[in-house]
Amino acid sequence: MSEVNKTIQKWHASFEKGTDFDSWGQLVEAIDEYHILARQLQKEVQSTNASDFTEEQKKTLGKIATCLEMRSASLQCTQSKEDFKLEELKKLETIIQNILTYNKAFPFDVQPVPSRKILAPGEEESLELEEEEDAAAGAGSTEAFPPRAPASQGTLLPRLPSEPGMTLLTLRIEKIGLKDAGQCIDPYMTISVKDSNGVDVNPVQDTPVASRKEDTYIHFSVDIEIQRHVEKLPKGAAIFFEFKHYKPKKRFTSTKCFAFMEMDEIKPGPIVIELYKKPTDFKRKKLQLLTKKQLYLHLHQTLLKDS
């Protein structure tokens, strides 16, 4: 079997897995699987290497990624007026399977997910000097590019069902302090829970784009439902908050800084945590503070225990 056929087979397996979860009512797992597949398709669409897919096939893959995101959004917002149903999504299965020979019109009037460069770990840092030089020269006007945040609506997940004796954690992201807060375009947060080896424990979530900017603060005022009971979080785990924003000059979304909370910091009420320089160090081995200024990530924790 050729490599391209192996890739298509992998996509199809992921699609089946997601729709199976969806039909069984395992919504968290379905959303996670849909996001994973959408990212894989988008990576292929944006690949600049010699590709096994034509531009038309890439456009179709991009539209499938859009439909996956639409179904995820429908699962997260039960009152959405633009509901994208599972039965509709399943119509795309044969297109994925036969992407190399598919030549019919796409069944839904959607556009591919907006193209953004996907960077490998460490690539952002190699561009920093060039960006700083651009900024010093006054280059890179943002007006020519419309806001295109990939998480403009967010990918937040609903609260888990309560269990006797178990504690649920809701984290409200209030605001983040940054010296250049007003210059950040389409800012949002990616929240993940990692074990001590930096491996995901829960599905990754994105907030919607921040609600407002004021002085040196970007305000989010959004609740994050941690997707595992506190008692079931592994020892040594941590909750990570990656602050991301769009860079029109380079046409990609960049991680500006990150913060994290360890398990012994989980307690009701407000908490203020320090910001660290990228790249995000999920193993927490080589941490560098972003700034010496008094600028932090402001959170509020709510613990809900079912007795």
Side-chain angles (χ1 to χ4, degrees):
M1 185 184 292
S2 68
E3 285 303 313
V4 66
N5 283 320
K6 286 181 182 176
T7 298
I8 293 169
Q9 194 175 64
K10 185 176 73 173
W11 290 343
H12 179 234
S14 178
F15 184 88
E16 277 194 317
K17 189 176 177 183
T19 53
D20 282 348
F21 280 137
D22 199 341
S23 61
W24 297 332
Q26 294 179 248
L27 305 190
V28 172
E29 293 83 354
I31 291 167
D32 199 27
E33 197 64 39
Y34 290 152
H35 284 324
I36 290 169
L37 179 54
R39 285 193 205 105
Q40 290 173 350
L41 297 180
Q42 186 66 358
K43 188 172 182 180
E44 182 61 46
V45 170
Q46 295 183 26
S47 173
T48 55
N49 300 328
S51 176
D52 295 303
F53 301 97
T54 66
E55 287 306 309
E56 196 61 34
Q57 288 165 353
K58 284 186 174 183
K59 189 180 292 184
T60 300
L61 292 173
K63 289 182 178 181
I64 294 172
T66 297
C67 291
L68 289 164
E69 291 195 357
M70 289 169 65
R71 178 59 187 160
S72 297
S74 294
L75 292 176
Q76 293 168 57
C77 184
T78 55
Q79 297 180 5
S80 172
K81 291 182 181 178
E82 298 182 12
D83 190 23
F84 194 80
K85 295 180 171 55
L86 176 59
E87 293 73 27
E88 296 174 314
L89 187 67
K90 284 186 173 180
K91 293 178 182 177
L92 305 181
E93 184 169 3
T94 55
I95 301 179
I96 293 177
Q97 286 177 292
N98 303 296
I99 187 65
L100 295 177
T101 56
Y102 185 80
N103 57 8
K104 298 178 183 177
F106 197 76
F108 305 107
D109 184 17
V110 298
Q111 294 300 313
V113 175
S115 178
R116 282 176 179 265
K117 188 173 180 184
I118 297 175
L119 300 179
E123 275 192 301
E124 288 177 8
E125 282 62 53
S126 67
L127 295 169
E128 286 305 300
L129 181 59
E130 186 180 347
E131 286 181 11
E132 287 170 9
E133 290 171 352
D134 287 343
S141 170
T142 63
E143 292 180 4
F145 305 100
R148 297 183 303 157
S152 58
Q153 301 303 313
T155 58
L156 299 181
L157 299 172
R159 180 177 295 172
L160 292 177
S162 59
E163 289 184 21
M166 294 287 131
T167 307
L168 291 170
L169 171 61
T170 301
L171 283 166
R172 186 169 185 79
I173 300 178
E174 300 283 4
K175 60 185 179 180
I176 185 172
L178 296 166
K179 61 182 181 182
D180 56 350
Q183 298 172 27
C184 293
I185 300 173
D186 294 343
Y188 68 100
M189 288 266 189
T190 295
I191 298 90
S192 57
V193 183
K194 311 280 186 181
D195 66 15
S196 56
N197 294 314
V199 176
D200 280 313
V201 172
N202 289 344
V204 176
Q205 304 182 63
D206 290 328
T207 71
V209 168
S211 56
R212 63 189 173 93
K213 304 169 191 173
E214 186 177 20
D215 299 327
T216 55
Y217 287 103
I218 294 175
H219 295 260
F220 285 89
S221 302
V222 64
D223 289 338
I224 314 300
E225 302 293 346
I226 300 303
Q227 297 294 300
R228 186 173 291 207
H229 295 91
V230 173
E231 290 82 1
K232 296 179 182 178
L233 291 171
K235 185 178 180 181
I239 303 169
F240 283 83
F241 305 84
E242 296 174 272
F243 178 83
K244 300 180 178 181
H245 63 131
Y246 182 57
K247 295 188 174 181
K249 179 70 175 176
K250 303 300 178 185
R251 292 178 180 262
F252 67 79
T253 295
S254 170
T255 300
K256 183 177 183 66
C257 59
F258 72 99
F260 63 89
M261 261 180 57
E262 295 184 314
M263 295 300 97
D264 60 358
E265 295 177 285
I266 296 178
K267 57 192 70 172
I271 181 173
V272 175
I273 54 179
E274 294 179 314
L275 304 174
Y276 295 96
K277 291 182 180 178
K278 63 180 181 182
T280 309
D281 181 8
F282 293 122
K283 293 186 179 180
R284 294 162 273 161
K285 300 293 184 184
K286 298 177 181 179
L287 300 170
Q288 283 186 286
L289 286 174
L290 178 68
T291 175
K292 292 179 181 177
K293 296 180 181 292
Q294 299 294 305
L295 298 172
Y296 304 100
L297 176 61
H298 296 250
L299 308 169
H300 190 281
Q301 302 183 69
T302 302
L303 296 172
L304 183 64
K305 188 163 186 174
D306 187 352
S307 56

